[in-house]
mmCIF file of all heavy atoms in Angstrom:
data_model
loop_
_atom_site.group_PDB
_atom_site.id
_atom_site.type_symbol
_atom_site.label_atom_id
_atom_site.label_comp_id
_atom_site.label_asym_id
_atom_site.label_seq_id
_atom_site.Cartn_x
_atom_site.Cartn_y
_atom_site.Cartn_z
ATOM 1 N N THR A 127 1.617 8.942 0.711
ATOM 2 C CA THR A 127 1.821 10.277 0.139
ATOM 3 C C THR A 127 2.631 10.253 -1.151
ATOM 4 O O THR A 127 2.673 11.238 -1.878
ATOM 5 C CB THR A 127 2.535 11.190 1.151
ATOM 6 O OG1 THR A 127 3.817 10.632 1.468
ATOM 7 C CG2 THR A 127 1.716 11.311 2.433
ATOM 8 N N ASN A 128 3.276 9.121 -1.433
ATOM 9 C CA ASN A 128 4.130 9.036 -2.626
ATOM 10 C C ASN A 128 4.124 7.597 -3.116
ATOM 11 O O ASN A 128 4.773 6.730 -2.529
ATOM 12 C CB ASN A 128 5.552 9.490 -2.289
ATOM 13 C CG ASN A 128 6.473 9.467 -3.496
ATOM 14 O OD1 ASN A 128 6.038 9.251 -4.622
ATOM 15 N ND2 ASN A 128 7.756 9.676 -3.265
ATOM 16 N N ASP A 129 3.402 7.334 -4.196
ATOM 17 C CA ASP A 129 3.290 5.972 -4.718
ATOM 18 C C ASP A 129 4.269 5.696 -5.849
ATOM 19 O O ASP A 129 4.012 4.869 -6.724
ATOM 20 C CB ASP A 129 1.857 5.700 -5.182
ATOM 21 C CG ASP A 129 1.446 6.611 -6.337
ATOM 22 O OD1 ASP A 129 2.172 7.590 -6.603
ATOM 23 O OD2 ASP A 129 0.399 6.335 -6.955
ATOM 24 N N THR A 130 5.409 6.386 -5.836
ATOM 25 C CA THR A 130 6.380 6.251 -6.926
ATOM 26 C C THR A 130 6.866 4.821 -7.085
ATOM 27 O O THR A 130 7.054 4.344 -8.217
ATOM 28 C CB THR A 130 7.581 7.187 -6.682
ATOM 29 O OG1 THR A 130 7.102 8.510 -6.453
ATOM 30 C CG2 THR A 130 8.503 7.196 -7.880
ATOM 31 N N PHE A 131 7.079 4.116 -6.000
ATOM 32 C CA PHE A 131 7.586 2.744 -6.072
ATOM 33 C C PHE A 131 6.655 1.877 -6.921
ATOM 34 O O PHE A 131 7.089 1.190 -7.845
ATOM 35 C CB PHE A 131 7.732 2.183 -4.659
ATOM 36 C CG PHE A 131 8.243 0.774 -4.587
ATOM 37 C CD1 PHE A 131 9.127 0.290 -5.528
ATOM 38 C CD2 PHE A 131 7.843 -0.064 -3.553
ATOM 39 C CE1 PHE A 131 9.608 -1.018 -5.461
ATOM 40 C CE2 PHE A 131 8.313 -1.361 -3.475
ATOM 41 C CZ PHE A 131 9.188 -1.837 -4.432
ATOM 42 N N SER A 132 5.366 1.925 -6.619
ATOM 43 C CA SER A 132 4.412 1.080 -7.344
ATOM 44 C C SER A 132 4.168 1.583 -8.761
ATOM 45 O O SER A 132 3.692 0.831 -9.622
ATOM 46 C CB SER A 132 3.085 1.002 -6.584
ATOM 47 O OG SER A 132 2.551 2.289 -6.346
ATOM 48 N N ARG A 133 4.493 2.827 -9.068
ATOM 49 C CA ARG A 133 4.337 3.348 -10.427
ATOM 50 C C ARG A 133 5.499 2.946 -11.332
ATOM 51 O O ARG A 133 5.362 2.920 -12.552
ATOM 52 C CB ARG A 133 4.191 4.872 -10.402
ATOM 53 C CG ARG A 133 2.823 5.334 -9.914
ATOM 54 C CD ARG A 133 2.592 6.804 -10.146
ATOM 55 N NE ARG A 133 3.295 7.640 -9.171
ATOM 56 C CZ ARG A 133 4.275 8.478 -9.477
ATOM 57 N NH1 ARG A 133 4.681 8.574 -10.726
ATOM 58 N NH2 ARG A 133 4.849 9.208 -8.550
ATOM 59 N N TYR A 134 6.656 2.644 -10.753
ATOM 60 C CA TYR A 134 7.826 2.272 -11.550
ATOM 61 C C TYR A 134 7.988 0.759 -11.678
ATOM 62 O O TYR A 134 8.539 0.274 -12.661
ATOM 63 C CB TYR A 134 9.104 2.838 -10.930
ATOM 64 C CG TYR A 134 9.387 4.264 -11.312
ATOM 65 C CD1 TYR A 134 8.876 5.316 -10.572
ATOM 66 C CD2 TYR A 134 10.167 4.575 -12.417
ATOM 67 C CE1 TYR A 134 9.137 6.634 -10.909
ATOM 68 C CE2 TYR A 134 10.432 5.885 -12.775
ATOM 69 C CZ TYR A 134 9.915 6.913 -12.011
ATOM 70 O OH TYR A 134 10.168 8.220 -12.354
ATOM 71 N N ILE A 135 7.568 0.021 -10.681
ATOM 72 C CA ILE A 135 7.789 -1.419 -10.635
ATOM 73 C C ILE A 135 6.445 -2.139 -10.676
ATOM 74 O O ILE A 135 5.520 -1.789 -9.931
ATOM 75 C CB ILE A 135 8.562 -1.826 -9.353
ATOM 76 C CG1 ILE A 135 9.847 -0.997 -9.213
ATOM 77 C CG2 ILE A 135 8.874 -3.314 -9.384
ATOM 78 C CD1 ILE A 135 10.886 -1.249 -10.274
ATOM 79 N N ASP A 136 6.349 -3.142 -11.535
ATOM 80 C CA ASP A 136 5.111 -3.912 -11.635
ATOM 81 C C ASP A 136 4.943 -4.836 -10.419
ATOM 82 O O ASP A 136 5.921 -5.230 -9.777
ATOM 83 C CB ASP A 136 5.119 -4.756 -12.912
ATOM 84 C CG ASP A 136 5.144 -3.908 -14.174
ATOM 85 O OD1 ASP A 136 4.624 -2.767 -14.112
ATOM 86 O OD2 ASP A 136 5.688 -4.371 -15.199
ATOM 87 N N LYS A 137 3.682 -5.155 -10.148
ATOM 88 C CA LYS A 137 3.327 -6.135 -9.118
ATOM 89 C C LYS A 137 3.756 -5.695 -7.723
ATOM 90 O O LYS A 137 4.165 -6.529 -6.891
ATOM 91 C CB LYS A 137 3.907 -7.507 -9.456
ATOM 92 C CG LYS A 137 3.380 -8.075 -10.763
ATOM 93 C CD LYS A 137 3.956 -9.456 -11.048
ATOM 94 C CE LYS A 137 3.403 -10.001 -12.371
ATOM 95 N NZ LYS A 137 3.943 -11.351 -12.690
ATOM 96 N N VAL A 138 3.682 -4.401 -7.470
ATOM 97 C CA VAL A 138 3.905 -3.890 -6.121
ATOM 98 C C VAL A 138 2.545 -3.734 -5.455
ATOM 99 O O VAL A 138 1.688 -2.997 -5.948
ATOM 100 C CB VAL A 138 4.650 -2.541 -6.132
ATOM 101 C CG1 VAL A 138 4.770 -1.980 -4.714
ATOM 102 C CG2 VAL A 138 6.033 -2.706 -6.752
ATOM 103 N N ALA A 139 2.339 -4.431 -4.354
ATOM 104 C CA ALA A 139 1.041 -4.406 -3.676
ATOM 105 C C ALA A 139 0.889 -3.120 -2.872
ATOM 106 O O ALA A 139 1.862 -2.599 -2.300
ATOM 107 C CB ALA A 139 0.905 -5.616 -2.765
ATOM 108 N N ARG A 140 -0.332 -2.607 -2.834
ATOM 109 C CA ARG A 140 -0.663 -1.438 -2.039
ATOM 110 C C ARG A 140 -1.932 -1.711 -1.246
ATOM 111 O O ARG A 140 -2.857 -2.366 -1.749
ATOM 112 C CB ARG A 140 -0.874 -0.208 -2.926
ATOM 113 C CG ARG A 140 0.396 0.440 -3.402
ATOM 114 C CD ARG A 140 0.123 1.672 -4.245
ATOM 115 N NE ARG A 140 -0.543 2.725 -3.487
ATOM 116 C CZ ARG A 140 0.093 3.596 -2.704
ATOM 117 N NH1 ARG A 140 1.399 3.527 -2.563
ATOM 118 N NH2 ARG A 140 -0.581 4.540 -2.081
ATOM 119 N N PRO A 141 -1.989 -1.229 -0.010
ATOM 120 C CA PRO A 141 -3.210 -1.428 0.769
ATOM 121 C C PRO A 141 -4.348 -0.602 0.190
ATOM 122 O O PRO A 141 -4.105 0.342 -0.575
ATOM 123 C CB PRO A 141 -2.821 -0.940 2.166
ATOM 124 C CG PRO A 141 -1.712 0.031 1.924
ATOM 125 C CD PRO A 141 -0.970 -0.483 0.730
ATOM 126 N N PRO A 142 -5.594 -0.945 0.507
ATOM 127 C CA PRO A 142 -6.718 -0.131 0.028
ATOM 128 C C PRO A 142 -6.585 1.305 0.502
ATOM 129 O O PRO A 142 -6.005 1.580 1.563
ATOM 130 C CB PRO A 142 -7.944 -0.814 0.668
ATOM 131 C CG PRO A 142 -7.481 -2.195 1.004
ATOM 132 C CD PRO A 142 -6.029 -2.087 1.322
ATOM 133 N N GLU A 143 -7.076 2.232 -0.325
ATOM 134 C CA GLU A 143 -7.026 3.640 0.042
ATOM 135 C C GLU A 143 -7.863 3.861 1.293
ATOM 136 O O GLU A 143 -9.088 3.744 1.271
ATOM 137 C CB GLU A 143 -7.543 4.509 -1.110
ATOM 138 C CG GLU A 143 -6.671 4.465 -2.355
ATOM 139 C CD GLU A 143 -5.308 5.120 -2.131
ATOM 140 O OE1 GLU A 143 -5.199 5.954 -1.194
ATOM 141 O OE2 GLU A 143 -4.362 4.794 -2.863
ATOM 142 N N THR A 144 -7.214 4.135 2.385
ATOM 143 C CA THR A 144 -7.915 4.340 3.640
ATOM 144 C C THR A 144 -7.074 5.212 4.544
ATOM 145 O O THR A 144 -5.843 5.224 4.448
ATOM 146 C CB THR A 144 -8.225 3.008 4.343
ATOM 147 O OG1 THR A 144 -8.850 3.262 5.603
ATOM 148 C CG2 THR A 144 -6.954 2.200 4.577
ATOM 149 N N ILE A 145 -7.720 5.926 5.396
ATOM 150 C CA ILE A 145 -6.996 6.737 6.373
ATOM 151 C C ILE A 145 -7.015 6.078 7.744
ATOM 152 O O ILE A 145 -6.559 6.660 8.725
ATOM 153 C CB ILE A 145 -7.600 8.153 6.457
ATOM 154 C CG1 ILE A 145 -9.088 8.081 6.879
ATOM 155 C CG2 ILE A 145 -7.414 8.898 5.154
ATOM 156 C CD1 ILE A 145 -9.711 9.447 7.140
ATOM 157 N N ASP A 146 -7.556 4.859 7.787
ATOM 158 C CA ASP A 146 -7.657 4.144 9.062
ATOM 159 C C ASP A 146 -6.344 3.407 9.330
ATOM 160 O O ASP A 146 -6.029 2.427 8.644
ATOM 161 C CB ASP A 146 -8.822 3.158 9.003
ATOM 162 C CG ASP A 146 -9.075 2.481 10.346
ATOM 163 O OD1 ASP A 146 -8.291 2.722 11.277
ATOM 164 O OD2 ASP A 146 -10.050 1.717 10.453
ATOM 165 N N PRO A 147 -5.566 3.833 10.294
ATOM 166 C CA PRO A 147 -4.298 3.153 10.583
ATOM 167 C C PRO A 147 -4.494 1.691 10.953
ATOM 168 O O PRO A 147 -3.618 0.856 10.674
ATOM 169 C CB PRO A 147 -3.724 3.957 11.750
ATOM 170 C CG PRO A 147 -4.395 5.284 11.685
ATOM 171 C CD PRO A 147 -5.764 5.008 11.159
ATOM 172 N N ALA A 148 -5.620 1.360 11.559
ATOM 173 C CA ALA A 148 -5.860 -0.024 11.948
ATOM 174 C C ALA A 148 -5.965 -0.930 10.734
ATOM 175 O O ALA A 148 -5.485 -2.074 10.742
ATOM 176 C CB ALA A 148 -7.133 -0.118 12.793
ATOM 177 N N MET A 149 -6.576 -0.409 9.646
ATOM 178 C CA MET A 149 -6.691 -1.203 8.436
ATOM 179 C C MET A 149 -5.318 -1.409 7.784
ATOM 180 O O MET A 149 -5.013 -2.496 7.284
ATOM 181 C CB MET A 149 -7.631 -0.515 7.458
ATOM 182 C CG MET A 149 -9.091 -0.523 7.905
ATOM 183 S SD MET A 149 -9.745 -2.206 8.046
ATOM 184 C CE MET A 149 -9.678 -2.737 6.340
ATOM 185 N N SER A 150 -4.490 -0.367 7.784
ATOM 186 C CA SER A 150 -3.140 -0.504 7.229
ATOM 187 C C SER A 150 -2.327 -1.512 8.017
ATOM 188 O O SER A 150 -1.567 -2.312 7.447
ATOM 189 C CB SER A 150 -2.436 0.855 7.219
ATOM 190 O OG SER A 150 -3.091 1.766 6.370
ATOM 191 N N LEU A 151 -2.496 -1.504 9.326
ATOM 192 C CA LEU A 151 -1.774 -2.447 10.180
ATOM 193 C C LEU A 151 -2.224 -3.873 9.882
ATOM 194 O O LEU A 151 -1.397 -4.792 9.790
ATOM 195 C CB LEU A 151 -2.001 -2.100 11.646
ATOM 196 C CG LEU A 151 -1.360 -3.035 12.670
ATOM 197 C CD1 LEU A 151 0.148 -3.073 12.496
ATOM 198 C CD2 LEU A 151 -1.722 -2.596 14.089
ATOM 199 N N LYS A 152 -3.506 -4.058 9.722
ATOM 200 C CA LYS A 152 -4.026 -5.400 9.427
ATOM 201 C C LYS A 152 -3.515 -5.882 8.073
ATOM 202 O O LYS A 152 -3.171 -7.055 7.905
ATOM 203 C CB LYS A 152 -5.554 -5.373 9.448
ATOM 204 C CG LYS A 152 -6.200 -6.738 9.327
ATOM 205 C CD LYS A 152 -7.711 -6.640 9.501
ATOM 206 C CE LYS A 152 -8.359 -8.018 9.457
ATOM 207 N NZ LYS A 152 -9.835 -7.935 9.648
ATOM 208 N N TRP A 153 -3.456 -4.967 7.114
ATOM 209 C CA TRP A 153 -2.969 -5.321 5.780
ATOM 210 C C TRP A 153 -1.503 -5.743 5.839
ATOM 211 O O TRP A 153 -1.107 -6.754 5.243
ATOM 212 C CB TRP A 153 -3.147 -4.124 4.851
ATOM 213 C CG TRP A 153 -2.876 -4.401 3.412
ATOM 214 C CD1 TRP A 153 -3.758 -4.852 2.476
ATOM 215 C CD2 TRP A 153 -1.618 -4.241 2.743
ATOM 216 N NE1 TRP A 153 -3.147 -4.981 1.254
ATOM 217 C CE2 TRP A 153 -1.827 -4.611 1.380
ATOM 218 C CE3 TRP A 153 -0.356 -3.824 3.138
ATOM 219 C CZ2 TRP A 153 -0.811 -4.573 0.437
ATOM 220 C CZ3 TRP A 153 0.660 -3.800 2.190
ATOM 221 C CH2 TRP A 153 0.435 -4.168 0.856
ATOM 222 N N LEU A 154 -0.675 -4.984 6.551
ATOM 223 C CA LEU A 154 0.739 -5.331 6.684
ATOM 224 C C LEU A 154 0.897 -6.651 7.427
ATOM 225 O O LEU A 154 1.753 -7.477 7.076
ATOM 226 C CB LEU A 154 1.492 -4.219 7.422
ATOM 227 C CG LEU A 154 2.979 -4.472 7.695
ATOM 228 C CD1 LEU A 154 3.744 -4.668 6.389
ATOM 229 C CD2 LEU A 154 3.586 -3.334 8.504
ATOM 230 N N ASP A 155 0.081 -6.869 8.440
ATOM 231 C CA ASP A 155 0.128 -8.117 9.207
ATOM 232 C C ASP A 155 -0.069 -9.312 8.283
ATOM 233 O O ASP A 155 0.684 -10.301 8.332
ATOM 234 C CB ASP A 155 -0.942 -8.073 10.301
ATOM 235 C CG ASP A 155 -0.845 -9.249 11.254
ATOM 236 O OD1 ASP A 155 -1.140 -10.385 10.811
ATOM 237 O OD2 ASP A 155 -0.506 -9.046 12.434
ATOM 238 N N ARG A 156 -1.075 -9.232 7.421
ATOM 239 C CA ARG A 156 -1.357 -10.343 6.513
ATOM 240 C C ARG A 156 -0.241 -10.513 5.474
ATOM 241 O O ARG A 156 0.116 -11.643 5.119
ATOM 242 C CB ARG A 156 -2.693 -10.105 5.812
ATOM 243 C CG ARG A 156 -3.906 -10.254 6.740
ATOM 244 C CD ARG A 156 -5.199 -10.024 5.989
ATOM 245 N NE ARG A 156 -6.356 -10.252 6.860
ATOM 246 C CZ ARG A 156 -7.616 -10.080 6.468
ATOM 247 N NH1 ARG A 156 -7.874 -9.672 5.218
ATOM 248 N NH2 ARG A 156 -8.610 -10.308 7.304
#
């Protein structure tokens, strides 16, 4: 809901735009 961190600091990784919690969990796991 707020991507301010990645807009101020370079090289901040973000998961793909998805509403699937399972995909976000898999991304964080990796």
